[in-house]
Amino acid sequence: MGVKEVLNKQETTGHLFLVRQGLFLRGYNSGALMLEKLLGYKAQRVFLKVCAAEVCIAGFPSQNLSRVLATVEKAGGKIVMQNEQTVEIEGLDYPCTPEIIRQYPEKEPLSPVATTLPGTSSVPRKQEVTTVEKIITRRVLDYNLSASTPMEAMLFLSALQKEFGGQMNK
């Protein structure tokens, strides 16, 4: 199920959807607001070309799914459907309007890392950041460490290492 379809179904059914994307599950608009309000995951505003609109997004590592679903059920939500790619939730109301979306900070692009040249201590230079480094940095910054156990954090790092392996040196 694509993002456009998820947004459409959320509007027509009133249900919330979480969609797997790699090692993470993401919520869009109402789903993102639910993740932020119930679980403390950070929602951000992005412009998606596929929808030609700004949307709110929030996500979490897939290994946290059982904890997320338990929290959703405690809040009165009901899991209508769950498969490998999608979770459908009913019974929770997190309305998301364009005005609400505009209140969220825009997802910031990653900037190059400043480093110091060898042999100098005060002259910083900009080091080019690879796409892999940007992806890893964003995932680490988006990871909600305060809402995870030490084991979940270790599994998260292990999954990053498995996914990106030796790509950092390329």
Side-chain angles (χ1 to χ4, degrees), residues 145-165:
L145 188 59
S146 64
S148 65
T149 66
M151 183 56 77
E152 288 171 333
M154 289 173 52
L155 290 170
F156 169 72
L157 289 175
S158 176
L160 278 177
Q161 287 176 332
K162 285 178 185 172
E163 183 176 355
F164 294 101

Side-chain angles (χ1 to χ4, degrees), residues 3-4 21-22 30 45 48 60-61 74 86-87 122 134 144 146-147 154 165 169:
V3 176
K4 201 171 186 176
Q21 293 181 334
S30 297
R45 175 173 41 105
L48 293 180
F60 60 92
K74 276 184 187 176
T86 311
V87 177
S122 61
K134 287 179 183 179
N144 190 348
S146 64
M154 289 173 52
N169 298 325

Side-chain angles (χ1 to χ4, degrees), residues 119-146:
T120 64
S121 59
S122 61
V123 180
R125 70 176 171 91
K126 294 221 173 184
Q127 183 180 33
E128 188 167 326
V129 179
T130 66
T131 303
V132 171
E133 288 170 325
K134 287 179 183 179
I135 293 168
I136 292 170
T137 301
R138 178 50 45 208
R139 287 186 183 175
V140 169
L141 290 174
D142 285 348
Y143 185 74
N144 190 348
L145 188 59
S146 64

Side-chain angles (χ1 to χ4, degrees), residues 3 6-7 10 17-21 23-46 48 55-62 68 96 101 104-105 107 138-139 142-144:
V3 176
V6 165
L7 293 171
Q10 282 186 159
F17 290 83
L18 301 175
V19 180
R20 182 176 304 277
Q21 293 181 334
L23 297 174
F24 290 80
L25 282 128
R26 283 202 170 161
Y28 294 90
N29 287 350
S30 297
L33 297 181
M34 175 203 62
L35 290 173
E36 182 177 70
K37 305 292 186 213
L38 285 182
L39 295 134
Y41 291 110
K42 183 179 173 186
Q44 294 182 309
R45 175 173 41 105
V46 295
L48 293 180
V55 298
C56 275
I57 61 167
F60 60 92
S62 58
V68 168
C96 190
I101 292 171
Y104 282 85
K107 190 170 182 178
R138 178 50 45 208
R139 287 186 183 175
D142 285 348
Y143 185 74
N144 190 348

